[in-house]
Amino acid sequence: AVQLVESGGGSVQAGGSLRLSCAASEYTVSRYCMGWYRQVPGKEREGVASIDGYGSTSYADSVKGRFTISEDTAKNTLYLEMNTLKPEDTAMYYCAASGAMRSACQATRVLAFGYRGQGTQVTVSS
């Protein structure tokens, strides 16, 4: 069965950086669309970033210019590099992967991907 395991979350001060990792098993990173979304209790989930099967990326306006999504095919791992973090970035971050979509996977569509991990908490203090 497909497994996505996130790591790299933690607590940082505003302006700091974190890199989230999503190790995939029984799933080939870079073959289909993958991405990250985040959720704060009591608020709607937000698609943060996505990367399609051709390497094209998409970001939510709220993180554009600060976050970078990437893949390492040798490690079969998806990453989210987060810089200049703000308190409003505080959330549980989830990795998600599509089992069929290879293109046109904007960040907003990450919420519809069929596979997802257990999440990793990011807390940014002011």
Side-chain angles (χ1 to χ4, degrees), residues 83-94:
N83 297 314
T84 319
L85 283 161
K86 304 176 181 180
E88 50 264 42
D89 294 318
T90 295
M92 185 72 82
Y93 284 73
Y94 297 88

Side-chain angles (χ1 to χ4, degrees), residues 4 27-35 49-54 56 69 71 78 96-106 109-110 113-115:
L4 304 172
Y27 184 90
T28 302
V29 165
S30 81
R31 184 172 186 181
Y32 296 112
C33 296
M34 295 187 74
S50 64
I51 184 166
D52 70 13
Y54 302 97
S56 295
I69 189 171
E71 296 168 333
L78 179 74
S98 172
M101 193 184 301
R102 193 140 196 249
S103 62
C105 46
Q106 291 80 10
R109 303 188 73 177
V110 174
F113 292 174
Y115 303 110

Side-chain angles (χ1 to χ4, degrees), residues 21-98:
S21 300
C22 172
S25 59
E26 300 299 321
Y27 184 90
T28 302
V29 165
S30 81
R31 184 172 186 181
Y32 296 112
C33 296
M34 295 187 74
W36 296 89
Y37 69 94
R38 63 189 181 186
Q39 184 164 28
V40 177
K43 294 189 177 181
E44 289 189 2
R45 294 176 300 169
E46 179 187 20
V48 172
S50 64
I51 184 166
D52 70 13
Y54 302 97
S56 295
T57 58
S58 171
Y59 298 93
D61 288 342
S62 58
V63 307
K64 203 170 291 183
R66 299 187 298 120
F67 290 12
T68 303
I69 189 171
S70 63
E71 296 168 333
D72 185 329
T73 54
K75 295 182 178 180
N76 210 38
T77 299
L78 179 74
Y79 298 101
L80 185 68
E81 184 76 33
M82 305 186 295
N83 297 314
T84 319
L85 283 161
K86 304 176 181 180
E88 50 264 42
D89 294 318
T90 295
M92 185 72 82
Y93 284 73
Y94 297 88
C95 170
S98 172

